[in-house]
């Protein structure tokens, strides 16, 4: 066998890497075709089949109205009635019993940030007081839904010229709770306060995604009358497939405005920036794009500028704002790419899911924009590979300045529970990681 000289071998290795980089870029820049319907978003109307839900307790998902109907639970905070939903739990058995997502990493949430989890108590009703139903949960704090949400577009849509969260956590509030005496952590965001009537147009006493609320009357003997809330869901992608999720809270003011969620300062330092499936992390990765393509009828549109220009981001969401509903139904959302998802075949990925997402924000370079290569992305590994092999096309971004920065964590975290998938279940990523494109190296 001939021996290959070290310089020739190095040249062959460099050529192989160049070929790999070209293949990765071609794969990642191929657009979103093949991920569902012609729009790449799956079905856009009718009720979602129940076998497409990860949030099994959901009463229904109406794709025509861009809403998910969830059971509504009663609580108290500072002497006031509050209403909350249950979305995730850190214990597998409890999650299965409640029909919510299993998210074991929530057990790490309070590491270094105890305020990220609030301890709550349960009332202990007598049998006469509670024949058949839920015990009232006593929260330490609640959101203030009275501020007016402001999302004034800038000259190019994004960055915003002016913004203000429409909901702000009060003292002691976090959407993540632990019942006194238990180790299980739940995602239980409060979505409305008071005893009604509920403002589902301007959202003065409801979350900015609340489209409707039904408070049940007294239960008939042997029956449970269920209260429910309709929430505007969000579209995105995971492992090449279109998914839907609920955005309820964020650790930063601007993020909460864009997400129509509650600003919860205690979440900003939740364990931990850049965290994923590592020791002590409560987060999972999410991938967003500042300057993807725009256009309501563009199947490659995605990102922050797209949301502002095409997603009616400055308007209040309500069931009666059909222009906003239809814009989002047809792809006007951010269309973020999620990391691990509960339906993935490898338990390592399925159980690494967490509703607390660590945003890795991408900025397409002038070259990518000029050549129309800022196409819609739909897979985590493809994004990582692109960032690792084509920094001439995709970089990170400094959120404070909007300027290019090394790719990775951006100091943004969002509480977004997944609801389900609209076409095929995400089962595995569309590509294998290129060397050293992720931490730990894979």
């Amino acid at each position: 066998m001939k021996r290959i000289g070290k310089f020739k071998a190095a040249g062959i290795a460099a050529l192989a890497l160049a070929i790999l980089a070209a293949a990765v870029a071609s794969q990642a820049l191929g657009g979103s075709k093949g991920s569902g319907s012609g729009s790449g978003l799956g079905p856009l109307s009718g009720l979602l089949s129940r076998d497409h839900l990860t949030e099994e307790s959901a009463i229904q998902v109406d794709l025509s109205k861009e809403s998910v109907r969830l059971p509504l639970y009663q609580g108290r905070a500072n002497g006031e009635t509050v209403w909350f939903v249950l979305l995730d739990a850190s214990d597998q058995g409890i999650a299965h019993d409640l029909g919510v997502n299993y998210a074991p990493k929530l057990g790490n949430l309070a590491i270094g940030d105890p305020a990220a989890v609030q301890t709550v108590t349960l009332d202990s009703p007598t049998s006469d007081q509670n024949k058949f139903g839920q015990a009232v949960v006593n929260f330490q704090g609640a959101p203030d839904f009275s501020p007016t949400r402001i999302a004034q577009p800038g000259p190019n849509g994004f960055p915003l010229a002016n913004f203000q969260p429409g909901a702000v956590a009060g003292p002691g509030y976090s959407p993540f709770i632990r019942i006194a005496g238990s180790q299980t952590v739940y995602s239980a965001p409060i979505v409305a306060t008071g005893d009604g009537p509920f403002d589902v147009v301007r959202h003065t006493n409801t979350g900015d995604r609340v489209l409707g609320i039904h408070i049940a009357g007294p239960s008939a003997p042997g029956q449970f009358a269920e209260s429910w809330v309709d929430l505007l869901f969000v579209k995105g992608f995971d492992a090449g497939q279109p998914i839907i999720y609920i955005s309820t809270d964020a650790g930063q003011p601007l993020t909460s405005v864009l997400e129509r969620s509650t600003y919860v300062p205690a979440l900003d330092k939740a364990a931990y920036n850049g965290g994923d499936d590592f020791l002590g992390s409560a987060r999972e990765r999410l991938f967003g794009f500042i300057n993807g393509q725009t256009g309501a009828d563009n199947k490659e549109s995605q990102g922050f500028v797209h949301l502002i220009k095409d997603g009616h981001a400055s308007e209040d969401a309500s069931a009666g704002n059909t222009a906003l509903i239809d814009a989002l139904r047809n792809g006007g959302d951010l269309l973020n790419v999620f990391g691990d998802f509960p339906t993935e075949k490898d338990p390592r990925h399925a159980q690494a899911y967490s509703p607390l997402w660590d945003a890795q924000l991408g900025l397409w370079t002038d070259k990518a924009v000029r050549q129309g290569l800022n196409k819609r992305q739909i897979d985590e590994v493809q994004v990582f590979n692109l960032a690792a092999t084509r920094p001439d096309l995709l970089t990170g971004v400094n959120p404070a300045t909007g300027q290019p920065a090394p790719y990775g964590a951006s100091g943004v975290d969002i509480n977004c529970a997944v609801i389900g998938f609209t076409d095929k279940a995400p089962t595995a990523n569309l590509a294998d990681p290129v060397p050293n494109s992720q931490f730990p190296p894979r």
Side-chain angles (χ1 to χ4, degrees):
M1 179 181 293
K2 289 186 177 180
R3 297 181 62 190
I4 301 176
K6 63 179 180 179
F7 296 110
K8 189 173 181 179
I12 292 173
L15 177 60
L17 285 174
I19 292 172
L20 175 61
V24 166
S26 174
Q27 184 181 55
L29 296 172
S32 60
K33 57 187 177 182
S35 60
S37 70
S39 65
L41 301 172
L44 302 178
S45 61
L47 297 181
L48 185 66
S49 173
R50 296 203 60 83
D51 62 6
H52 282 43
L53 297 177
T54 61
E55 194 74 45
E56 295 177 355
S57 60
I59 298 168
Q60 68 176 33
V61 172
D62 192 328
L63 300 174
S64 302
K65 297 180 180 179
E66 204 76 355
S67 66
V68 54
R69 179 168 294 176
L70 294 170
L72 192 61
Y73 298 85
Q74 186 177 1
R76 301 283 294 175
N78 303 318
E80 181 181 36
T81 302
V82 298
W83 303 92
F84 67 97
V85 293
L86 281 174
L87 300 171
D88 308 89
S90 62
D91 179 274
Q92 190 168 26
I94 291 174
H96 180 69
D97 181 62
L98 291 171
V100 301
N101 299 309
Y102 172 45
K105 286 195 292 189
L106 289 183
N108 294 329
L109 192 60
I111 294 175
D113 186 20
V117 179
Q118 68 165 308
T119 300
V120 302
T121 61
L122 289 178
D123 281 354
S124 297
T126 67
S127 58
D128 284 339
Q129 292 170 328
N130 188 27
K131 291 293 185 186
F132 192 44
Q134 172 224 343
V136 172
V137 175
N138 298 294
F139 290 80
Q140 295 183 42
D144 177 6
F145 294 120
S146 66
T148 299
R149 177 180 173 273
I150 299 173
Q152 181 183 345
N156 297 312
F158 187 84
L160 295 176
N162 187 26
F163 64 89
Q164 174 180 282
V168 180
Y173 177 72
S174 170
F176 297 104
I177 66 172
R178 180 186 289 116
I179 299 170
S182 169
Q183 294 300 310
T184 302
V185 176
Y186 304 85
S187 177
I190 293 173
V191 296
T193 56
D195 297 305
F198 296 102
D199 179 3
V200 294
V201 177
R202 300 300 179 192
H203 305 292
T204 55
N205 59 357
T206 64
D208 288 318
R209 289 188 173 272
V210 174
L211 303 181
I213 289 182
H214 165 73
I215 304 300
S219 298
Q223 299 181 30
F224 176 65
E226 188 166 49
S227 299
W228 49 257
V229 59
D230 285 339
L231 295 169
L232 181 72
F233 62 65
V234 194
K235 285 187 167 77
F237 296 96
D238 188 280
Q241 296 298 330
I243 63 168
I244 57 174
Y245 60 98
I246 286 290
S247 186
T248 55
D249 313 272
Q252 307 75 37
L254 176 58
T255 313
S256 70
V257 170
L258 296 173
E259 296 282 337
R260 301 181 185 272
S261 64
T262 300
Y263 170 42
V264 184
L267 297 185
D268 187 49
K269 296 181 180 179
Y272 53 84
N273 279 315
D276 183 33
D277 52 349
F278 317 127
L279 180 65
S281 171
R283 304 190 188 191
E284 179 53 43
R285 293 189 184 109
L286 172 151
F287 305 83
F289 301 87
I290 301 298
N291 56 339
Q293 294 186 28
T294 63
D297 299 320
N298 182 1
K299 295 180 178 61
E300 300 297 344
S301 57
Q302 184 177 46
F304 287 51
V305 177
H306 165 60
L307 174 71
I308 304 303
K309 288 188 173 183
D310 306 318
H312 296 245
S314 64
E315 302 172 16
D316 288 323
S318 67
N321 189 345
T322 54
L324 180 150
I325 297 293
D326 286 342
L328 298 178
R329 189 166 62 90
N330 288 286
D333 268 320
L334 287 168
L335 302 180
N336 291 323
V337 178
F338 278 40
D340 294 324
F341 197 80
T343 62
E344 294 204 39
K345 288 183 177 179
D346 185 344
R348 175 188 164 277
H349 292 289
Q351 295 181 17
Y353 159 78
S354 171
L356 190 64
W357 300 91
D358 187 82
Q360 325 276 299
L361 300 180
L363 181 71
W364 295 102
T365 65
D366 291 342
K367 173 183 176 180
V369 174
R370 188 171 57 252
Q371 296 182 6
L373 298 177
N374 55 336
K375 295 184 177 182
R376 181 182 295 176
Q377 300 298 304
I378 59 175
D379 179 81
E380 172 190 27
V381 174
Q382 288 186 342
V383 176
F384 266 132
N385 289 354
L386 183 61
T389 64
R390 294 302 304 269
D392 60 319
L393 299 180
L394 183 68
T395 71
V397 62
N398 182 329
T401 65
Q403 297 301 306
Y407 194 83
S410 57
V412 170
D413 66 336
I414 318 157
N415 181 20
C416 297
V418 298
I419 300 299
F421 51 92
T422 57
D423 188 30
K424 298 177 182 177
T427 56
N429 291 112
L430 302 182
D432 293 324
V434 299
N436 300 316
S437 62
Q438 300 186 37
F439 178 79
R442 299 191 179 102

